[in-house]
Amino acid sequence: MRKGVKAVGMAVLAGTAFLPGLACAQIADPGPGQGAPVAPAPVDTTQTTPQDETIVPDAEFEAALPKLSDDINAPLEPMKDFQQPAQPVTPGTVTSEIESFPPPAAEAPEFAQPLTPLSEFKVEPVKIEGVDDEKATTIRYTVAVEGLDKIGLEGRFRDLSALEDGDGKAANAAMVAARAREDELLAVRLMHSLGFYDGTAISTIEQNPQNSGNVRATITATPGALYRLNNVAIVSGPTVPPGLLDRELNLNPGDPIQAERIQGAEANVSLRLPQQGYPFVKLGDRDILLDEETHQGDYTLPVELGPRAVFGEIVTQGRRQVFDVEHINILRRYKPGAIYDSRQVDDLREALIATSLFSTVSVEPVRTEKPGPDGTEVVNLLVRQNRGRPRTLAAEIGYSTGQGIRAEGSWTHRNLFPPEGALIASGVLGTQEQGVTGTFRRSNAGRRDRTFQVSAALNHQDFAAFESYTGSIAVRWSRDSTPIWQKRWTYFYGGEIVGSNEDQFNFNKGARDRGTWLIAALPSFIGYDASDNLLNPTRGFRLKANVSPETSVRGAARPYARLMAEGTAYYPVSSSVVIAGRARIGSIPGIARNDLPPSRRYYAGGGGSVRGFGYQELGPRSPDGRPVGGRSLNEFAIEARYRFGNYGIVPFIDAGQVYEGLYPTLQNMRFGAGIGGRLYTNFGPLRVDVATPINRKPGESRIALYISIGQAF
């Protein structure tokens, strides 16, 4: 657009200079009766007059000047000997003596006082009796929007509106007008974002009703015609496969020129091309040329592809490195020589972060200029790593009826035996359980996501069903989920040796006695997790199965197997309500119940089982009224999880029973009902459940309380 240039004139004001020694002629005032002064006769400027002659010759003028130093940086000479020359007096003129100003008066002492600090300077407005300042300086207004509802922008406009942010109040009408002008620009920007580039908006402010003191601000928008794409051009080299850029950009003639759509299309190119072999792709600045007559626009996007790449080697960098290249190669899922895929790079970065051993870690491609197959270039991955703090202290506390208070703490050094060899010391302290455990754990042991660990534990448990003193040594290999890295498939397998001294009710003697068992087991587990969150699932399902072939030795060896299967499901009814359900069955074939150590039997009841009953409270009981456990069980639960903000309410019903026989018969089912509260945090929900048994029997808990971290299932 050509802009006009205006010539700007400048007026120069000339001043009068007075030279020293120059006499100024004055016209004498005529005395009374002498009449008006006579105007002087015209002067002939062509004739030479005495005034044209030199008043002071140059030589005399130079001689009268004081001598100055030749050094231009020297200070000026003092003026003490300088005398003002006498003024010549022309006959017939009136002269007056030049009088000097009197010396200044002494400064008032108040001016020498320091100023009052700003922090102590207070100004209180004058209060006028009977006048409310807030009401006197505040006007009310309403906002009306016209024209934006036709193109679906009114709601978004009101969300961003300066007038709406003012909540209908302003100090004066000028403030309302200023907000309205901001909203005019907002309306135009919003219309442009949807392709209405001829859109205009105006605001009007009027009293509503007249002389009421209230005003109405109206924003009237005129969208105009919708602009659409006419020609779509991508300026770039050829891709493999051909047409890759056109497919991923997916902008076509006739599409509206909408900001979100175009920016999203360009972002898709930046995302998808690195997933298909182009790690260094760069998008230039788009150009859209609009035609006001056809209401169409020609779109041009320059793209710098860079080389098509294949994976090369891993190189590391950092002052305090944690892993060498050999261990990082265990964590990668791609094979060298494969076409570059940024998703594999992100996966490697997440695996490194999941170790929790870095203060900072990054993974990025670097060019090598080495040719690869099919016209590609080999690209290495640079891992920048800096070591973080390897030690962790953790604690957890909970409470449940029948199990009492239970606190658990641990100390972990995650890299005491590099790479990823951790030493863990943990302990349990509760009203009915105490114990210590030492564990060596190596994560990513020879294969990504595989964990090897060896543990030794000493434990004391004193429950209604039994009291035991237990020592154990266990080894296992596993693939586990974590809050950072939730896995679809999980498993573990291993072995353990347990020595346990426990009390039980001896039905042959009709009294309780103690016994010592030596137990060897080969426990294993497999799980499939299709839920959306490890600690707070809202949709999906989970399946679990446990198998543990075991042998208990007390006088004679008795082999048996402990079997357990469980399934949970989560269904979102709405954005704030989730229905969750759980079913569990278990069986122990190969041995009579009374030959089983009490700690290896099945029990039901408690916060992770059937709520409303105390821990291990369900099932057969001995003549002294204490639970004896069984060889089979079944459990069911259903709950409605209602969440509002960071809080939740969960009503639930649980059911279950333990049986002496091999198979769960679903007979004599017991039910518990209750309600729970949830406080949702960034590490999972805090759970408080209160339940009561339905058709309570003598000796059973009236109210059961459970406090823990995480959902019940």
Side-chain angles (χ1 to χ4, degrees), residues 320 322 356-362 384-389 414:
R320 303 178 62 198
V322 180
S356 302
L357 292 173
F358 300 93
S359 61
T360 59
V361 62
S362 65
R384 290 189 173 94
Q385 50 176 315
N386 286 300
R387 185 181 307 159
R389 296 180 179 179
R414 295 185 298 277

Side-chain angles (χ1 to χ4, degrees), residues 102-325:
E107 188 179 67
E110 289 80 1
F111 289 103
Q113 299 299 322
L115 296 176
T116 304
L118 290 176
S119 59
E120 299 178 6
F121 189 76
K122 298 181 181 180
V123 176
E124 296 183 359
V126 178
K127 296 291 184 179
I128 302 177
E129 187 176 355
V131 176
D132 189 337
D133 289 342
E134 182 177 356
K135 293 182 178 179
T137 59
T138 301
I139 64 173
R140 301 281 181 174
Y141 65 87
T142 58
V143 182
V145 182
E146 298 178 358
L148 292 180
D149 57 331
K150 299 178 182 178
I151 56 176
L153 282 177
E154 183 171 347
R156 189 173 180 185
F157 173 84
R158 289 187 180 274
D159 290 340
L160 302 174
S161 168
L163 287 168
E164 294 288 354
D165 286 345
D167 295 328
K169 294 185 293 184
N172 47 53
M175 182 177 292
V176 179
R179 294 173 183 174
R181 287 192 295 271
E182 290 184 34
D183 283 357
E184 289 178 9
L185 300 177
L186 172 64
V188 171
R189 289 197 303 269
L190 291 177
M191 288 186 287
H192 286 183
S193 70
L194 290 188
F196 296 93
Y197 290 95
D198 292 337
T200 60
I202 60 173
S203 63
T204 57
I205 299 174
E206 56 186 357
Q207 291 196 13
N208 182 32
Q210 291 293 332
N211 301 321
S212 64
N214 295 333
V215 299
R216 171 177 174 155
T218 303
I219 306 296
T220 303
T222 305
L226 175 63
Y227 280 71
R228 298 181 180 273
L229 291 174
N230 177 42
N231 182 48
V232 178
I234 302 176
V235 181
S236 176
T239 61
V240 179
L244 179 62
L245 280 170
D246 293 325
R247 184 175 70 247
E248 300 302 343
L249 184 65
N250 194 24
L251 289 178
N252 305 296
D255 291 344
I257 306 178
Q258 297 178 348
E260 290 183 355
R261 176 173 174 77
I262 290 177
Q263 291 173 354
E266 294 172 356
N268 190 64
V269 172
S270 299
L271 173 68
R272 292 285 295 155
L273 260 69
Q275 296 175 358
Q276 302 176 68
Y278 294 93
F280 306 107
V281 62
K282 294 181 180 179
L283 274 63
D285 296 331
R286 78 181 77 87
D287 180 60
I288 302 178
L289 181 61
L290 300 178
D291 189 332
E292 296 181 356
E293 295 182 358
T294 63
H295 302 118
Q296 292 180 336
D298 293 335
Y299 172 89
T300 303
L301 178 67
V303 177
E304 183 180 343
L305 284 173
R308 187 166 181 255
V310 295
F311 283 114
E313 301 176 350
I314 289 178
V315 293
T316 64
Q317 189 180 92
R319 292 181 301 173
R320 303 178 62 198
Q321 298 190 19
V322 180
F323 298 146
D324 56 18
V325 173

Side-chain angles (χ1 to χ4, degrees), residues 246-536:
D246 293 325
R247 184 175 70 247
E248 300 302 343
L249 184 65
N250 194 24
L251 289 178
N252 305 296
D255 291 344
I257 306 178
Q258 297 178 348
E260 290 183 355
R261 176 173 174 77
I262 290 177
Q263 291 173 354
E266 294 172 356
N268 190 64
V269 172
S270 299
L271 173 68
R272 292 285 295 155
L273 260 69
Q275 296 175 358
Q276 302 176 68
Y278 294 93
F280 306 107
V281 62
K282 294 181 180 179
L283 274 63
D285 296 331
R286 78 181 77 87
D287 180 60
I288 302 178
L289 181 61
L290 300 178
D291 189 332
E292 296 181 356
E293 295 182 358
T294 63
H295 302 118
Q296 292 180 336
D298 293 335
Y299 172 89
T300 303
L301 178 67
V303 177
E304 183 180 343
L305 284 173
R308 187 166 181 255
V310 295
F311 283 114
E313 301 176 350
I314 289 178
V315 293
T316 64
Q317 189 180 92
R319 292 181 301 173
R320 303 178 62 198
Q321 298 190 19
V322 180
F323 298 146
D324 56 18
V325 173
E326 182 179 358
H327 189 68
I328 297 176
N329 282 330
I330 292 176
L331 301 179
R332 61 174 171 80
R333 296 188 189 275
Y334 64 86
K335 293 182 179 180
I339 292 296
Y340 182 92
D341 188 340
S342 61
R343 291 169 293 189
Q344 299 292 343
V345 179
D346 295 338
D347 178 79
L348 176 59
R349 183 187 301 108
E350 291 175 1
L352 292 168
I353 293 172
T355 65
S356 302
L357 292 173
F358 300 93
S359 61
T360 59
V361 62
S362 65
V363 183
E364 61 186 60
V366 291
R367 298 186 60 175
T368 64
E369 308 293 342
K370 296 179 181 179
D374 301 324
T376 60
E377 179 181 316
V378 176
V379 169
N380 291 339
L381 293 185
L382 174 61
V383 178
R384 290 189 173 94
Q385 50 176 315
N386 286 300
R387 185 181 307 159
R389 296 180 179 179
R391 300 173 183 83
T392 300
L393 286 174
E396 180 179 343
I397 188 169
Y399 172 83
S400 65
T401 303
Q403 197 173 6
I405 298 175
R406 188 179 188 274
E408 184 174 356
S410 65
W411 173 89
T412 303
H413 192 302
R414 295 185 298 277
N415 204 35
L416 186 60
F417 307 98
E420 295 192 74
L423 181 63
I424 305 168
S426 60
V428 175
L429 181 62
T431 55
Q432 295 177 289
E433 182 179 6
Q434 306 85 38
V436 293
T437 303
T439 302
F440 165 76
R441 182 188 67 200
R442 187 175 296 283
S443 302
N444 299 304
R447 180 187 301 174
R448 174 162 168 180
D449 298 332
R450 183 171 65 181
T451 301
F452 169 76
Q453 72 178 39
V454 179
S455 61
L458 295 174
N459 225 32
H460 171 245
Q461 295 176 322
D462 186 7
F463 301 125
F466 63 88
E467 181 190 18
S468 68
Y469 294 89
T470 304
S472 65
I473 297 176
V475 58
R476 80 173 192 176
W477 291 260
S478 65
R479 185 176 191 267
D480 304 314
S481 280
T482 67
I484 298 177
W485 198 265
Q486 184 178 357
K487 302 176 180 65
R488 184 61 59 95
W489 287 98
T490 56
Y491 65 82
F492 73 76
Y493 59 89
E496 63 178 340
I497 297 177
V498 181
S500 182
N501 179 271
E502 306 176 14
D503 78 325
Q504 67 169 345
F505 189 87
N506 191 324
F507 287 88
N508 295 327
K509 297 180 180 180
R512 303 193 72 84
D513 62 5
R514 300 192 68 87
T516 300
W517 284 267
L518 180 64
I519 304 165
L522 297 173
S524 61
F525 161 85
I526 186 169
Y528 180 78
D529 188 350
S531 66
D532 62 340
N533 189 277
L534 188 66
L535 295 178
N536 184 37

